[in-house]
PDB file of all heavy atoms in Angstrom:
ATOM      1  N   ALA B 263      23.674 -17.476  10.594  1.00 98.00           N
ATOM      2  CA  ALA B 263      24.945 -18.171  10.365  1.00 98.00           C
ATOM      3  C   ALA B 263      25.048 -19.332  11.346  1.00 98.00           C
ATOM      4  O   ALA B 263      24.465 -19.299  12.437  1.00 98.00           O
ATOM      5  CB  ALA B 263      26.099 -17.202  10.573  1.00 98.00           C
ATOM      6  N   SER B 264      25.754 -20.340  10.949  1.00 98.00           N
ATOM      7  CA  SER B 264      25.981 -21.466  11.860  1.00 98.00           C
ATOM      8  C   SER B 264      26.972 -21.038  12.933  1.00 98.00           C
ATOM      9  O   SER B 264      27.921 -20.302  12.644  1.00 98.00           O
ATOM     10  CB  SER B 264      26.553 -22.664  11.103  1.00 98.00           C
ATOM     11  OG  SER B 264      25.626 -23.095  10.137  1.00 98.00           O
ATOM     12  N   PRO B 265      26.767 -21.484  14.150  1.00 98.00           N
ATOM     13  CA  PRO B 265      27.720 -21.111  15.193  1.00 98.00           C
ATOM     14  C   PRO B 265      29.082 -21.755  14.928  1.00 98.00           C
ATOM     15  O   PRO B 265      29.156 -22.922  14.546  1.00 98.00           O
ATOM     16  CB  PRO B 265      27.071 -21.664  16.471  1.00 98.00           C
ATOM     17  CG  PRO B 265      26.151 -22.730  16.009  1.00 98.00           C
ATOM     18  CD  PRO B 265      25.689 -22.348  14.639  1.00 98.00           C
ATOM     19  N   ALA B 266      30.107 -20.960  15.095  1.00 98.00           N
ATOM     20  CA  ALA B 266      31.460 -21.478  14.839  1.00 98.00           C
ATOM     21  C   ALA B 266      32.380 -21.053  15.970  1.00 98.00           C
ATOM     22  O   ALA B 266      32.389 -19.883  16.367  1.00 98.00           O
ATOM     23  CB  ALA B 266      31.983 -20.951  13.502  1.00 98.00           C
ATOM     24  N   GLU B 267      33.142 -22.019  16.469  1.00 98.00           N
ATOM     25  CA  GLU B 267      34.082 -21.702  17.544  1.00 98.00           C
ATOM     26  C   GLU B 267      35.329 -21.060  16.969  1.00 98.00           C
ATOM     27  O   GLU B 267      35.826 -21.475  15.911  1.00 98.00           O
ATOM     28  CB  GLU B 267      34.456 -22.957  18.336  1.00 98.00           C
ATOM     29  CG  GLU B 267      35.330 -22.636  19.537  1.00 98.00           C
ATOM     30  CD  GLU B 267      35.576 -23.855  20.432  1.00 98.00           C
ATOM     31  OE1 GLU B 267      35.173 -24.972  20.033  1.00 98.00           O
ATOM     32  OE2 GLU B 267      36.169 -23.671  21.521  1.00 98.00           O
ATOM     33  N   VAL B 268      35.793 -20.038  17.640  1.00 98.00           N
ATOM     34  CA  VAL B 268      37.033 -19.377  17.232  1.00 98.00           C
ATOM     35  C   VAL B 268      37.999 -19.383  18.416  1.00 98.00           C
ATOM     36  O   VAL B 268      37.606 -19.589  19.565  1.00 98.00           O
ATOM     37  CB  VAL B 268      36.772 -17.923  16.767  1.00 98.00           C
ATOM     38  CG1 VAL B 268      35.972 -17.907  15.479  1.00 98.00           C
ATOM     39  CG2 VAL B 268      36.064 -17.122  17.859  1.00 98.00           C
ATOM     40  N   ALA B 269      39.243 -19.165  18.087  1.00 98.00           N
ATOM     41  CA  ALA B 269      40.284 -19.220  19.118  1.00 98.00           C
ATOM     42  C   ALA B 269      40.147 -18.065  20.096  1.00 98.00           C
ATOM     43  O   ALA B 269      39.652 -16.979  19.740  1.00 98.00           O
ATOM     44  CB  ALA B 269      41.661 -19.183  18.454  1.00 98.00           C
ATOM     45  N   ASN B 270      40.582 -18.333  21.305  1.00 98.00           N
ATOM     46  CA  ASN B 270      40.573 -17.286  22.332  1.00 98.00           C
ATOM     47  C   ASN B 270      41.357 -16.076  21.831  1.00 98.00           C
ATOM     48  O   ASN B 270      42.454 -16.201  21.289  1.00 98.00           O
ATOM     49  CB  ASN B 270      41.205 -17.825  23.621  1.00 98.00           C
ATOM     50  CG  ASN B 270      41.089 -16.819  24.764  1.00 98.00           C
ATOM     51  OD1 ASN B 270      40.251 -15.920  24.722  1.00 98.00           O
ATOM     52  ND2 ASN B 270      41.926 -16.981  25.779  1.00 98.00           N
ATOM     53  N   GLY B 271      40.748 -14.904  21.975  1.00 97.00           N
ATOM     54  CA  GLY B 271      41.380 -13.682  21.493  1.00 97.00           C
ATOM     55  C   GLY B 271      40.785 -13.182  20.193  1.00 97.00           C
ATOM     56  O   GLY B 271      41.068 -12.067  19.765  1.00 97.00           O
ATOM     57  N   THR B 272      40.000 -14.003  19.556  1.00 97.00           N
ATOM     58  CA  THR B 272      39.383 -13.564  18.298  1.00 97.00           C
ATOM     59  C   THR B 272      38.278 -12.545  18.583  1.00 97.00           C
ATOM     60  O   THR B 272      38.194 -11.500  17.931  1.00 97.00           O
ATOM     61  CB  THR B 272      38.796 -14.771  17.534  1.00 97.00           C
ATOM     62  OG1 THR B 272      39.808 -15.770  17.368  1.00 97.00           O
ATOM     63  CG2 THR B 272      38.264 -14.340  16.184  1.00 97.00           C
ATOM     64  N   ILE B 273      37.426 -12.890  19.523  1.00 96.00           N
ATOM     65  CA  ILE B 273      36.357 -11.955  19.910  1.00 96.00           C
ATOM     66  C   ILE B 273      36.890 -11.033  20.997  1.00 96.00           C
ATOM     67  O   ILE B 273      36.873  -9.821  20.869  1.00 96.00           O
ATOM     68  CB  ILE B 273      35.119 -12.733  20.419  1.00 96.00           C
ATOM     69  CG1 ILE B 273      34.592 -13.667  19.332  1.00 96.00           C
ATOM     70  CG2 ILE B 273      34.040 -11.760  20.892  1.00 96.00           C
ATOM     71  CD1 ILE B 273      33.542 -14.663  19.825  1.00 96.00           C
ATOM     72  N   LEU B 274      37.327 -11.631  22.037  1.00 95.00           N
ATOM     73  CA  LEU B 274      38.016 -10.936  23.121  1.00 95.00           C
ATOM     74  C   LEU B 274      38.897 -11.971  23.809  1.00 95.00           C
ATOM     75  O   LEU B 274      38.742 -13.175  23.603  1.00 95.00           O
ATOM     76  CB  LEU B 274      37.023 -10.267  24.092  1.00 95.00           C
ATOM     77  CG  LEU B 274      35.868 -11.116  24.623  1.00 95.00           C
ATOM     78  CD1 LEU B 274      36.288 -11.896  25.842  1.00 95.00           C
ATOM     79  CD2 LEU B 274      34.686 -10.201  24.978  1.00 95.00           C
ATOM     80  N   THR B 275      39.781 -11.503  24.608  1.00 96.00           N
ATOM     81  CA  THR B 275      40.721 -12.422  25.234  1.00 96.00           C
ATOM     82  C   THR B 275      40.199 -12.838  26.602  1.00 96.00           C
ATOM     83  O   THR B 275      40.075 -12.005  27.516  1.00 96.00           O
ATOM     84  CB  THR B 275      42.111 -11.774  25.379  1.00 96.00           C
ATOM     85  OG1 THR B 275      42.556 -11.401  24.080  1.00 96.00           O
ATOM     86  CG2 THR B 275      43.103 -12.739  26.010  1.00 96.00           C
ATOM     87  N   LEU B 276      39.864 -14.117  26.679  1.00 97.00           N
ATOM     88  CA  LEU B 276      39.383 -14.651  27.951  1.00 97.00           C
ATOM     89  C   LEU B 276      40.597 -14.920  28.840  1.00 97.00           C
ATOM     90  O   LEU B 276      41.626 -15.423  28.371  1.00 97.00           O
ATOM     91  CB  LEU B 276      38.611 -15.950  27.712  1.00 97.00           C
ATOM     92  CG  LEU B 276      37.358 -15.817  26.828  1.00 97.00           C
ATOM     93  CD1 LEU B 276      36.827 -17.206  26.439  1.00 97.00           C
ATOM     94  CD2 LEU B 276      36.277 -15.027  27.557  1.00 97.00           C
ATOM     95  N   PRO B 277      40.492 -14.594  30.127  1.00 97.00           N
ATOM     96  CA  PRO B 277      41.646 -14.775  31.018  1.00 97.00           C
ATOM     97  C   PRO B 277      41.956 -16.253  31.249  1.00 97.00           C
ATOM     98  O   PRO B 277      41.051 -17.057  31.457  1.00 97.00           O
ATOM     99  CB  PRO B 277      41.195 -14.091  32.324  1.00 97.00           C
ATOM    100  CG  PRO B 277      39.703 -14.122  32.270  1.00 97.00           C
ATOM    101  CD  PRO B 277      39.326 -14.036  30.828  1.00 97.00           C
ATOM    102  N   VAL B 278      43.223 -16.579  31.174  1.00 97.00           N
ATOM    103  CA  VAL B 278      43.672 -17.952  31.426  1.00 97.00           C
ATOM    104  C   VAL B 278      44.716 -17.902  32.533  1.00 97.00           C
ATOM    105  O   VAL B 278      45.736 -17.237  32.357  1.00 97.00           O
ATOM    106  CB  VAL B 278      44.281 -18.592  30.163  1.00 97.00           C
ATOM    107  CG1 VAL B 278      44.748 -20.022  30.446  1.00 97.00           C
ATOM    108  CG2 VAL B 278      43.277 -18.571  29.020  1.00 97.00           C
ATOM    109  N   PRO B 279      44.514 -18.534  33.661  1.00 96.00           N
ATOM    110  CA  PRO B 279      43.325 -19.311  34.022  1.00 96.00           C
ATOM    111  C   PRO B 279      42.103 -18.405  34.158  1.00 96.00           C
ATOM    112  O   PRO B 279      42.244 -17.193  34.332  1.00 96.00           O
ATOM    113  CB  PRO B 279      43.715 -19.938  35.364  1.00 96.00           C
ATOM    114  CG  PRO B 279      44.697 -18.987  35.943  1.00 96.00           C
ATOM    115  CD  PRO B 279      45.468 -18.460  34.777  1.00 96.00           C
ATOM    116  N   PRO B 280      40.904 -18.981  34.059  1.00 97.00           N
ATOM    117  CA  PRO B 280      39.682 -18.185  34.089  1.00 97.00           C
ATOM    118  C   PRO B 280      39.585 -17.327  35.341  1.00 97.00           C
ATOM    119  O   PRO B 280      39.994 -17.745  36.424  1.00 97.00           O
ATOM    120  CB  PRO B 280      38.574 -19.244  34.051  1.00 97.00           C
ATOM    121  CG  PRO B 280      39.203 -20.420  33.409  1.00 97.00           C
ATOM    122  CD  PRO B 280      40.636 -20.419  33.876  1.00 97.00           C
ATOM    123  N   ALA B 281      39.010 -16.135  35.143  1.00 96.00           N
ATOM    124  CA  ALA B 281      38.784 -15.238  36.273  1.00 96.00           C
ATOM    125  C   ALA B 281      37.464 -14.531  36.050  1.00 96.00           C
ATOM    126  O   ALA B 281      37.128 -14.170  34.917  1.00 96.00           O
ATOM    127  CB  ALA B 281      39.924 -14.234  36.390  1.00 96.00           C
ATOM    128  N   GLN B 282      36.724 -14.385  37.141  1.00 94.00           N
ATOM    129  CA  GLN B 282      35.425 -13.734  37.049  1.00 94.00           C
ATOM    130  C   GLN B 282      35.600 -12.221  37.066  1.00 94.00           C
ATOM    131  O   GLN B 282      36.467 -11.695  37.758  1.00 94.00           O
ATOM    132  CB  GLN B 282      34.552 -14.170  38.227  1.00 94.00           C
ATOM    133  CG  GLN B 282      33.091 -13.874  38.055  1.00 94.00           C
ATOM    134  CD  GLN B 282      32.260 -14.529  39.155  1.00 94.00           C
ATOM    135  OE1 GLN B 282      32.785 -14.888  40.220  1.00 94.00           O
ATOM    136  NE2 GLN B 282      30.976 -14.705  38.903  1.00 94.00           N
ATOM    137  N   SER B 283      34.796 -11.529  36.293  1.00 91.00           N
ATOM    138  CA  SER B 283      34.828 -10.069  36.292  1.00 91.00           C
ATOM    139  C   SER B 283      33.392  -9.588  36.335  1.00 91.00           C
ATOM    140  O   SER B 283      32.684  -9.612  35.330  1.00 91.00           O
ATOM    141  CB  SER B 283      35.541  -9.551  35.041  1.00 91.00           C
ATOM    142  OG  SER B 283      35.441  -8.144  34.975  1.00 91.00           O
ATOM    143  N   GLY B 284      32.975  -9.194  37.525  1.00 88.00           N
ATOM    144  CA  GLY B 284      31.574  -8.816  37.679  1.00 88.00           C
ATOM    145  C   GLY B 284      30.686 -10.023  37.430  1.00 88.00           C
ATOM    146  O   GLY B 284      30.894 -11.096  37.981  1.00 88.00           O
ATOM    147  N   SER B 285      29.720  -9.835  36.529  1.00 87.00           N
ATOM    148  CA  SER B 285      28.834 -10.958  36.213  1.00 87.00           C
ATOM    149  C   SER B 285      29.398 -11.822  35.095  1.00 87.00           C
ATOM    150  O   SER B 285      28.800 -12.825  34.722  1.00 87.00           O
ATOM    151  CB  SER B 285      27.456 -10.424  35.811  1.00 87.00           C
ATOM    152  OG  SER B 285      27.573  -9.591  34.670  1.00 87.00           O
ATOM    153  N   ASP B 286      30.536 -11.415  34.532  1.00 92.00           N
ATOM    154  CA  ASP B 286      31.135 -12.170  33.435  1.00 92.00           C
ATOM    155  C   ASP B 286      31.963 -13.306  34.003  1.00 92.00           C
ATOM    156  O   ASP B 286      32.900 -13.100  34.765  1.00 92.00           O
ATOM    157  CB  ASP B 286      32.013 -11.224  32.602  1.00 92.00           C
ATOM    158  CG  ASP B 286      32.609 -11.923  31.394  1.00 92.00           C
ATOM    159  OD1 ASP B 286      32.355 -13.140  31.217  1.00 92.00           O
ATOM    160  OD2 ASP B 286      33.316 -11.255  30.621  1.00 92.00           O
ATOM    161  N   SER B 287      31.635 -14.523  33.619  1.00 95.00           N
ATOM    162  CA  SER B 287      32.324 -15.701  34.148  1.00 95.00           C
ATOM    163  C   SER B 287      33.744 -15.821  33.627  1.00 95.00           C
ATOM    164  O   SER B 287      34.572 -16.511  34.211  1.00 95.00           O
ATOM    165  CB  SER B 287      31.544 -16.968  33.773  1.00 95.00           C
ATOM    166  OG  SER B 287      31.623 -17.184  32.366  1.00 95.00           O
ATOM    167  N   GLY B 288      34.034 -15.161  32.496  1.00 96.00           N
ATOM    168  CA  GLY B 288      35.356 -15.301  31.893  1.00 96.00           C
ATOM    169  C   GLY B 288      35.556 -16.640  31.219  1.00 96.00           C
ATOM    170  O   GLY B 288      36.665 -16.982  30.810  1.00 96.00           O
TER     171      GLY B 288
END
Side-chain angles (χ1 to χ4, degrees):
Chain B
S264 298
E267 185 173 7
V268 293
N270 186 20
T272 306
I273 301 169
L274 49 86
T275 302
L276 299 169
V278 180
Q282 196 171 20
S283 174
S285 60
D286 183 359
S287 69

